Amino acid sequence: MDTIPPLPAGARDRAAWQVWSAAYVGQKWLDVPFLWAESYFYRLLLEATGYFGSGPWAGVDPFAPQKSAELDSPDLARDLENLGDLVGAPEQDGLSAALTAALWGNRADLGFRMSDPSAQDRSQVDDLVADDSAELWRLLDGGTENRVHLVADNAGRELVADLVLIDRLLETGRAATVVLHLKPQPYYVSDATVTDLLQVLRRLEAAGGAACGIAGRLGTAIGDGRVRVRAHAFWCTPLTFHEMPSDLVAELGGASVVVVKGDLNYRRLVGDAHWEPTTTFRDLTAYFPAPLVALRTLKSDVAVGVDPDRLAHLEATTPGWRTDGTHAVIHVRP
């Protein structure tokens, strides 16, 4: 497929994509913005698999086998067996370990451990390009009825870590309510949908022990409204966060903190552009309607908020630090 085709007539969201695609349909894939091309490619893939059709493949996630395989992995089984250490840890140790797990949840080598909150892997500390986590805990000081929104990224092992973090925020009183934002349809192979959430909760329950306890507490919290699940159509568009619809702006604007996960969402936050890496995250996200936390493993060239000395060291010693998935940032904009 050398040139970009339009969505076929009758596609459920063709009118919206005609607006978003008007400048790009008919061009070559390498000549259009990467952020738009990625999103449109996955939308075309769902059309090709009949996801939105009326046939036998309607509603079937084409990426489900990969997601299920990760839930059955030995690495996840090991983490779930050891969750008792995290749940039973002193409050701040447990919170910090859960945040680290949520950050590194989709790291290529899956090197995080949820089993030992008191002993962080030295390489993970060194690989944090920026760490504003202390500011996050100041924002969630436990003294108010904090409303946290978490915009999820990947399913599988990473969503498990996200749910552990949500459980710790609720159990320690750092959050009174949590809104979990998921994709309304399959996206980018591994992105988390509501179906994935249900599968992860079942996996936690089946694991027994502390994992089962987390599943039970979250199930109760979903039932009584302390955890709410949203799947806004915006999350599967090719738009940046600057272009959020008014209803989503209003909902996020009521948050005490919005935690945004992943490399793609990070690029949507700051604009998918070649910023000078020392440009501040706060300046680029000043438009965002609430206090903001970005948890991101670096997998693309976009980089901001890097200390000049750290930048010089990275460029001299680790030329692939922006794209190889071995470095990360925790950015906070109060």
Side-chain angles (χ1 to χ4, degrees):
M1 185 165 48
D2 293 331
T3 59
I4 299 170
L7 276 178
R12 62 189 292 272
D13 49 0
R14 188 169 188 263
W17 276 103
Q18 280 182 310
V19 175
W20 301 328
S21 307
Y24 308 128
V25 166
Q27 293 194 44
K28 293 185 180 297
W29 286 96
L30 293 178
D31 294 334
V32 301
F34 187 57
L35 182 64
W36 178 88
E38 287 179 293
S39 186
Y40 191 53
F41 173 85
Y42 284 101
R43 178 61 187 86
L44 289 174
L45 191 151
L46 289 186
E47 199 67 26
T49 61
Y51 182 85
F52 295 115
S54 56
W57 299 107
V60 175
D61 185 347
F63 312 121
Q66 295 98 310
K67 296 175 180 179
S68 296
E70 188 170 346
L71 289 179
D72 292 334
S73 71
D75 288 328
L76 178 59
R78 178 203 66 202
D79 287 335
L80 297 183
E81 289 175 2
N82 293 306
L83 265 177
D85 293 335
L86 187 150
V87 172
E91 177 179 315
Q92 192 55 55
D93 285 345
L95 284 167
S96 296
L99 184 69
T100 298
L103 171 66
W104 291 112
N106 66 345
R107 188 174 182 174
D109 63 6
L110 298 176
F112 76 86
R113 291 299 301 272
M114 293 190 283
S115 59
D116 189 1
S118 63
Q120 289 192 40
D121 184 339
R122 184 69 241 170
S123 67
Q124 290 180 357
V125 175
D126 291 341
D127 290 345
L128 266 177
V129 175
D131 181 7
D132 299 335
S133 56
E135 183 67 29
L136 168 61
W137 304 129
R138 283 193 289 270
L139 289 171
L140 299 177
D141 62 5
T144 58
E145 293 287 299
N146 290 317
R147 301 176 303 280
V148 175
H149 288 239
L150 191 151
V151 182
D153 186 24
N154 291 314
R157 200 175 181 205
E158 182 173 348
L159 185 56
V160 169
D162 293 343
L163 295 183
V164 172
L165 176 59
I166 290 171
D167 177 70
R168 290 298 86 205
L169 291 173
L170 292 172
E171 287 297 294
T172 60
R174 296 299 185 106
T177 60
V178 177
V179 180
L180 176 61
H181 295 268
L182 301 168
K183 299 296 191 301
Q185 63 203 43
Y187 196 61
Y188 279 72
V189 181
S190 58
D191 282 30
T193 67
V194 177
T195 298
D196 296 321
L197 169 64
L198 296 176
Q199 291 180 337
V200 167
L201 287 171
R202 285 194 289 266
R203 180 68 181 88
L204 289 170
E205 185 177 25
C212 183
I214 289 172
R217 288 192 294 272
L218 290 177
T220 299
I222 290 171
D224 64 26
R226 286 178 295 128
V227 172
R228 291 178 290 149
V229 178
R230 295 284 187 269
H232 198 287
F234 171 78
W235 305 123
C236 290
T237 71
L239 308 175
T240 70
F241 282 51
H242 306 76
E243 303 165 283
M244 287 189 296
S246 59
D247 62 329
L248 188 56
V249 171
E251 182 174 10
L252 297 179
S256 303
V257 172
V258 178
V259 180
V260 176
K261 295 286 305 294
D263 189 78
L264 172 63
N265 281 328
Y266 188 91
R267 289 155 52 204
R268 297 175 82 184
L269 276 172
V270 303
D272 200 18
H274 287 285
W275 299 106
E276 172 60 40
T278 55
T279 306
T280 68
F281 179 78
R282 293 190 181 196
D283 287 346
L284 292 178
T285 58
Y287 69 90
F288 200 83
L292 176 65
V293 179
L295 304 181
R296 178 215 182 187
T297 304
L298 278 69
K299 296 178 179 177
S300 66
D301 283 328
V302 178
V304 303
V306 184
D307 175 81
D309 291 339
R310 186 68 195 281
L311 176 63
H313 175 74
L314 288 167
E315 295 289 359
T317 62
T318 317
W321 67 274
R322 300 188 193 207
T323 58
D324 61 13
T326 63
H327 290 74
V329 296
I330 302 174
H331 283 315
V332 177
R333 196 227 69 198

